[in-house]
Amino acid sequence: MLLLQGLVLGVLVGGMYALMASGLTLIFGVMRLINIAHAAVIIFASYLSWQLLRVLGIDPLISIVILVVVFFIGGALLQKYVLSALIDKDLSLALLATLGVANVLEGMEGALWTSSFHAINTGYSDQTYHFGDVYVPLIRIITFVASVIILAGLYVLLTHTNLGRAIRATTQNRAIAQLVGVNVNRITMIAFGIGIAVAAAAGPLMGMYYPFYPNSHWGWIGKLMAIVVLGGLGSFRGTLVAALILGVAEQVTILYVPANWAATVFFVFLFAVLIVRPQGFFGHVARESL
Amino acid sequence: MNARRVIAVAWPLAPLVILIALPFNGLNGFLLDLFYFTFTYAAMSVGWNIIGGYAGYISLANLGFFGLGSYVAGLTLSHLGWPILLTAPLVGVVCALVAAVIGWIALRTRGPSFVIVTLAFTFIVQFLALNLKDITGGSAGLYLPLLSMDPLLRGDLFYYYMLGVLILSIAVAIGIRRSRFGLGLIAIREDEGKAEGSGINTSVFKIVAFMISCWFAGVAGAVHAQYLNYVDPDLAFELIIMLNMIVMTLLGSRGTVWGPVLGAFILFPLQSYLVYWLPSTIAGEVHLALLGVVLVLIARFMPEGLLVTLQKLIVRRPPPRLQAVPADAATSARP
Amino acid sequence: MTALLEVEGVYAGYGTGGDILQGVDLRMEKGDYVCIIGPNGAGKSTLMRVIAGVIAPRKGKVLFEGRDIGARRPDLVFREGIVTVPQGRNTFPDMTVWENMLMGAYSIRDRALVKQRIDMVIELLPVVAEKRHVRAGLLSGGQQKQVEIGRAMLVDPKLLILDEPTMGLEPRIAKAVLERVALLRQAGTTILMVEQNARLGLAAAQDGCVMELGRIKLRGRGVKMLEDPEVSRLYLGEEAGTDITRRNQNGEKNE
């Protein structure tokens, strides 16, 4: 029964992990860039959502809508004016620029909100439901459902719209995408913006689920990298599956070992994948370059 | 004898003599510390540059090795009584061996796995330092036995020790730059496929470069543990250390011998002044954010770094680089 | 009257390397079917890339319907009506054949028109319909090439560039692909093709161009060039590239 508990919580948290990691994998796909700032963006959105709730009383689920729009624009601008120029020159510079962005966000959060931890508490934060022997906090159901809805939207966007197909085409073969008339620079900018917007959507959910503080993004980026590597860098579906696997593995592990040791599950998987099958288990998109 | 040539080869002797002579003129404790930190950062940046600049692989593991070095040195001191200043080079060797394993996992393939693995490695070492409480003392850290010596000479000792490590790192960097090994690393950076094609065992080259790079981080971490008489998971794995290695190297000029040194000598004193000047409640945060801004700005507007940019201004001729051979031409050689 | 495509004195190369193209002149009228042959490294593919906008000419002009398209990005060249099928495999491997078709029609907003064009392609290339739900990367080389050509047909190109469409295909499939190309030509498409298999290419095309050392050395009717003893000796004879030709010819006889 304990195992069932772990399984249920694992799937629920895995849904949120999938949302957190999907932007990372999308960005990697179109730009071959590991966005080191990805988790920092998520945490930054958590802080903003916390602030919106505190000052204006805006529910975190509502603030997702606002944050998605703002972060999409911010991400697209960052890509257009900073990253795209670097990508053409030297991918490692773009990587370092995202490292810089991560530190800017972390330092800024520390200066604005102090380095002590914050949590987004709503009226419904503390409710818990029991299904037989399995107990499930309401907040976990909410974050799961919200994550699934957003991911479903992203999936439809990627598979059933011209824009989405162009993003996937650019991911799979940039040169050919250009030869069928895709303005790949513009598509890359939009895709990066979408990746950042998805991170922003994950922020309020993450903040309702876990407490956060300025440098907690480092712990998260490690987990997210493990997920995208297991999923095969750049593969959207692979990332979803990997997030569920690691979510369940983590929650089941927590049942048997002290909670702080459960984080090692991610690193065990990460190293195992890289030793056994560096290209990941599900994807086959990313083969080259940094 | 051509005077220009002598200057071109022997100029480092001048600052070296000055740096050796400085403590004799009664350098105060603050400045001794400032130089000690600058030397430490410079040596680590020169080390980082070997994998990050020469070979072009961004490593985020050097921080992990700095911390690992601190802990290994601290533990051997407190359990076995081995003095850190003697064991530091060996601690560096331990770090280099661990680096070989990490490199084997991450450098067999091209691709993005290196940056991911190196970042994960840093997290893992920090995680173990925090959670293997019986060994490492957890978040409380380890208090180390003090050096039994005249406290007035203590500052001088660390000054000269790290000056020595810095000189060694520069010598190694020059040696690599002039060797076939160094050429191979640069070929890997310019075009790994072609480097492989020309018979370079790229995996071995990259792993060896990574090991050398991490040796310096490990030594610096070991010495720093003794300097603080204390090791804890926050200080030993402070991200600003990682950021500094990278920003200093980039500012000075990635891939050059002297760039990282120049970067360290410019950036560290500036940062000390900044942190001193900022209100202490937000000094750390603003410091971090500003360093991040500097990193983005350098990457965007001066990616070649000061040294190469200045060189271009003076010589008005780009330094020789390996030229990319077009795909078409490569196949055009007829049998 | 201005020609459809005019390449005038084009010099081009890659990166910091030397000029691969050293003054190429090429003129194509509407309805032409030109095949370029020549030894490896002559600059055939480079010329295709210059016209497609993948690399910019260092000197000289590329005029399309009188407009200079020399410095344009590939996607803008595409929107002028020049569609390129490059060497090798160029499908989007993780997308279905159908999605690959839709990507070919990416620049067309009119849904009904897309449907109509896809129907036309299916008629010409039945493989597109048969494998519509299969991921393109799983198809054989010949099938992928047909998908690529089909994808290129969706926009009804004013000029279709085929860079070695038969490379790596077994002779029977290569012939089939060229037969499809001939059908396109009959339907009025202007075609510029590079063909390593010189005999096959010259036999298929209306005009042949011989390219050597970055220039177009001579041009003539494809069939006549096949018969020309000097062309035969120099370009279809004992040259390195033509071993393949031999083998293919033998292969055909064997069937």
Side-chain angles (χ1 to χ4, degrees):
Chain A
M1 225 55 262
L2 202 57
L3 200 63
L4 184 64
Q5 171 81 48
L7 219 60
V8 169
L9 290 184
V11 170
L12 292 182
V13 77
M16 191 179 76
Y17 288 172
L19 183 66
M20 294 172 80
S22 57
L24 189 60
T25 215
L26 183 69
I27 289 171
F28 182 83
V30 283
M31 294 168 79
R32 296 293 181 269
L33 171 71
I34 306 274
N35 178 23
I36 298 178
H38 204 75
V41 171
I42 294 175
I43 302 285
F44 186 49
S46 303
Y47 272 107
L48 291 179
S49 174
W50 180 89
Q51 192 72 44
L52 286 172
L53 177 66
R54 196 49 160 336
V55 176
L56 302 173
I58 297 176
D59 188 279
L61 294 174
I62 308 291
S63 68
I64 287 178
V65 181
I66 305 166
L67 292 172
V68 160
V69 174
V70 173
F71 277 60
F72 171 80
I73 296 169
L77 291 178
L78 178 70
Q79 201 281 336
K80 181 164 189 200
Y81 291 107
V82 179
L83 298 178
S84 72
L86 301 182
I87 294 253
D88 295 342
K89 234 180 282 167
D90 181 349
L91 197 50
S92 66
L93 284 173
L95 184 86
L96 291 177
T98 66
L99 176 69
V101 169
N103 286 286
V104 172
L105 292 176
E106 181 185 334
M108 203 165 70
E109 289 157 10
L112 290 175
W113 289 290
T114 76
S115 58
S116 61
F117 82 81
H118 284 58
I120 300 175
N121 287 309
T122 59
Y124 43 87
S125 289
D126 299 327
Q127 294 179 44
T128 298
Y129 291 103
H130 292 265
F131 303 95
D133 289 339
V134 178
Y135 79 92
V136 183
L138 174 62
I139 208 78
R140 303 205 175 187
I141 301 176
I142 291 176
T143 51
F144 177 78
V145 171
S147 298
V148 168
I149 291 172
I150 297 166
L151 284 169
L154 186 59
Y155 182 79
V156 171
L157 174 76
L158 286 175
T159 51
H160 284 83
T161 67
N162 254 338
L163 173 65
R165 272 191 295 270
I167 290 174
R168 284 162 60 220
T170 306
T171 298
Q172 291 171 29
N173 197 334
R174 200 177 178 83
I176 301 306
Q178 213 166 12
L179 286 177
V180 296
V182 176
N183 182 345
V184 291
N185 294 331
R186 193 167 145 269
I187 290 297
T188 305
M189 180 186 85
I190 292 172
F192 187 85
I194 292 174
I196 295 298
V198 175
L205 301 177
M206 204 284 311
M208 289 198 280
Y209 207 121
Y210 292 107
F212 49 93
Y213 43 92
N215 74 3
S216 58
H217 71 98
W218 290 112
W220 279 110
I221 193 69
K223 288 183 173 184
L224 299 185
M225 282 179 179
I227 292 171
V228 296
V229 167
L230 177 64
L233 278 160
S235 161
F236 184 71
R237 274 175 236 180
T239 298
L240 300 188
V241 177
L244 286 178
I245 291 175
L246 283 170
V248 169
E250 182 198 43
Q251 293 300 318
V252 170
T253 311
I254 279 182
L255 299 173
Y256 301 101
V257 304
N260 50 343
W261 281 90
T264 53
V265 166
F266 287 86
F267 295 122
V268 170
F269 268 91
L270 174 65
F271 279 86
V273 172
L274 287 173
I275 290 169
V276 179
R277 219 180 124 84
Q279 67 273 42
F281 280 93
F282 304 103
H284 31 77
V285 175
R287 295 185 191 92
E288 279 281 312
S289 75
L290 197 81
Chain B
M1 209 41 178
N2 185 338
R4 277 184 77 117
R5 261 193 75 104
V6 173
I7 292 172
V9 176
W11 69 265
L13 285 176
L16 181 62
V17 168
I18 294 173
L19 285 176
I20 289 176
L22 264 180
F24 290 104
N25 298 315
L27 213 57
N28 66 32
F30 174 77
L31 281 177
L32 271 180
D33 276 1
L34 185 77
F35 274 109
Y36 160 75
F37 274 104
T38 308
F39 296 157
T40 303
Y41 270 123
M44 283 200 290
S45 301
V46 171
W48 187 85
N49 188 38
I50 291 170
I51 184 75
Y54 288 5
Y57 272 78
I58 303 298
S59 162
L60 301 177
N62 294 42
L63 174 61
F65 284 106
F66 177 85
L68 182 66
S70 286
Y71 270 95
V72 172
L75 289 170
T76 49
L77 173 63
S78 47
H79 289 289
L80 305 170
W82 296 357
I84 286 181
L85 295 185
L86 295 182
T87 56
L90 296 176
V91 171
V93 170
V94 172
C95 288
L97 292 177
V98 177
V101 177
I102 298 299
W104 175 77
I105 294 172
L107 288 169
R108 284 174 304 164
T109 51
R110 276 180 246 173
S113 46
F114 186 67
V115 68
I116 294 176
V117 167
T118 53
L119 185 60
F121 171 76
T122 297
F123 291 151
I124 289 170
V125 185
Q126 182 180 25
F127 177 85
L128 293 178
L130 196 61
N131 288 289
L132 292 176
K133 294 199 179 75
D134 298 338
I135 303 171
T136 63
S139 58
L142 288 174
Y143 287 90
L144 305 181
L146 302 181
L147 277 182
S148 50
M149 67 180 301
D150 181 357
L152 285 176
L153 287 177
R154 193 179 178 277
D156 292 348
L157 177 64
F158 282 101
Y159 177 101
Y160 284 118
Y161 200 102
M162 282 322 289
L163 178 59
V165 175
L166 173 59
I167 292 168
L168 177 67
S169 72
I170 295 171
V172 168
I174 291 175
I176 292 177
R177 191 69 180 76
R178 293 192 179 157
S179 68
R180 209 185 82 81
F181 175 57
L183 274 182
L185 293 181
I186 289 165
I188 286 170
R189 179 186 71 202
E190 298 289 324
D191 188 330
E192 189 157 354
K194 236 160 265 157
E196 217 163 296
S198 63
I200 293 170
N201 188 338
T202 53
S203 300
V204 172
F205 272 51
K206 288 185 290 183
I207 291 173
V208 173
F210 186 49
M211 288 171 71
I212 296 171
S213 179
C214 294
W215 187 86
F216 286 103
V219 170
V223 175
H224 199 60
Q226 184 68 76
Y227 175 85
L228 295 172
N229 294 316
Y230 176 65
V231 190
D232 88 7
D234 284 335
L235 288 175
F237 300 96
E238 223 176 351
L239 275 150
I240 209 141
I241 299 173
M242 183 76 253
L243 201 59
N244 257 321
M245 281 185 232
I246 295 172
V247 178
M248 286 166 177
T249 307
L250 230 60
L251 175 69
S253 274
R254 201 151 62 116
T256 64
V257 170
W258 294 99
V261 184
L262 180 70
F265 274 78
I266 293 173
L267 270 181
F268 189 78
L270 272 180
Q271 289 178 53
S272 301
Y273 181 73
L274 176 82
V275 172
Y276 169 77
W277 175 77
L278 282 168
S280 65
T281 45
I282 54 161
E285 287 78 10
V286 173
H287 181 194
L288 187 66
L290 279 180
L291 208 51
V293 169
V294 170
L295 176 54
V296 174
L297 289 180
I298 295 175
R300 179 68 183 85
F301 296 109
M302 203 184 55
E304 288 178 316
L306 279 175
L307 221 54
V308 173
T309 308
L310 288 178
Q311 228 165 21
K312 275 186 180 168
L313 279 180
I314 295 166
V315 186
R316 296 213 166 277
R317 181 165 51 93
R321 300 182 91 202
L322 294 183
Q323 282 189 345
V325 185
D328 229 36
T331 55
S332 69
R334 274 200 258 162
Chain C
M1 176 197 152
T2 54
L4 184 70
L5 174 78
E6 276 174 289
V7 178
E8 290 173 3
V10 160
Y11 287 73
Y14 300 88
T16 50
D19 291 330
I20 309 280
L21 299 185
Q22 309 204 341
V24 173
D25 296 302
L26 176 68
R27 189 184 162 91
M28 285 185 73
E29 306 291 344
K30 204 166 175 316
D32 275 357
Y33 180 5
V34 175
C35 174
I36 298 182
I37 62 167
N40 276 333
K44 305 185 296 289
S45 291
T46 308
L47 176 58
M48 300 305 114
R49 287 185 196 134
V50 168
I51 298 171
V54 178
I55 54 175
R58 289 171 181 165
K59 242 193 284 177
K61 273 188 198 157
V62 181
L63 298 176
F64 189 68
E65 294 178 327
R67 292 182 298 280
D68 192 345
I69 58 164
R72 285 199 199 171
R73 283 200 321 255
D75 52 305
L76 298 178
V77 171
F78 175 91
R79 280 165 200 252
E80 288 284 340
I82 301 181
V83 179
T84 306
V85 179
Q87 267 179 42
R89 297 197 177 172
N90 306 297
T91 53
F92 300 111
D94 292 338
M95 294 172 107
T96 63
V97 168
W98 198 254
E99 286 179 316
N100 267 276
M101 286 300 132
L102 292 178
M103 278 316 294
Y106 175 76
S107 57
I108 307 174
R109 291 274 164 262
D110 180 351
R111 294 253 162 176
L113 184 63
V114 172
K115 179 83 186 63
Q116 183 196 331
R117 293 266 175 80
I118 292 182
D119 287 345
M120 177 201 82
V121 167
I122 287 173
E123 211 168 291
L124 206 60
L125 306 162
V127 67
V128 169
E130 288 157 22
K131 306 277 183 186
R132 61 193 310 177
H133 297 303
V134 181
R135 280 200 290 118
L138 299 176
L139 299 181
S140 72
Q143 287 170 332
Q144 286 198 40
K145 207 29 105 176
Q146 292 186 51
V147 170
E148 287 170 35
I149 293 174
R151 193 178 62 192
M153 289 318 300
L154 285 178
V155 286
D156 192 14
K158 292 178 188 161
L159 171 63
L160 176 64
I161 295 177
L162 301 170
D163 193 352
E164 305 214 5
T166 68
M167 189 168 70
L169 304 184
E170 43 173 302
R172 187 172 48 85
I173 311 281
K175 236 181 122 187
V177 167
L178 288 185
E179 275 164 15
R180 299 279 188 276
V181 174
L183 288 177
L184 294 181
R185 203 261 166 144
Q186 279 167 22
T189 310
T190 312
I191 296 169
L192 176 60
M193 175 169 78
V194 168
E195 192 41 76
Q196 188 70 51
N197 186 334
R199 283 181 197 281
L200 209 55
L202 290 180
Q206 155 211 342
D207 279 8
C209 286
V210 175
M211 207 168 164
E212 200 173 32
L213 299 172
R215 285 165 185 240
I216 290 184
K217 273 194 97 181
L218 54 99
R219 176 173 181 167
R221 290 283 152 189
V223 194
K224 280 210 176 124
M225 286 177 99
L226 273 177
E227 290 161 358
D228 186 326
E230 198 184 355
V231 171
S232 283
R233 188 173 59 79
L234 286 176
Y235 305 106
L236 310 174
E238 299 306 322
E239 291 287 326
T242 50
D243 290 344
I244 305 161
T245 316
R246 283 265 173 73
R247 231 179 296 127
N248 283 351
Q249 302 262 320
N250 292 339
E252 275 167 23
K253 274 172 206 155
N254 288 343
E255 301 223 352

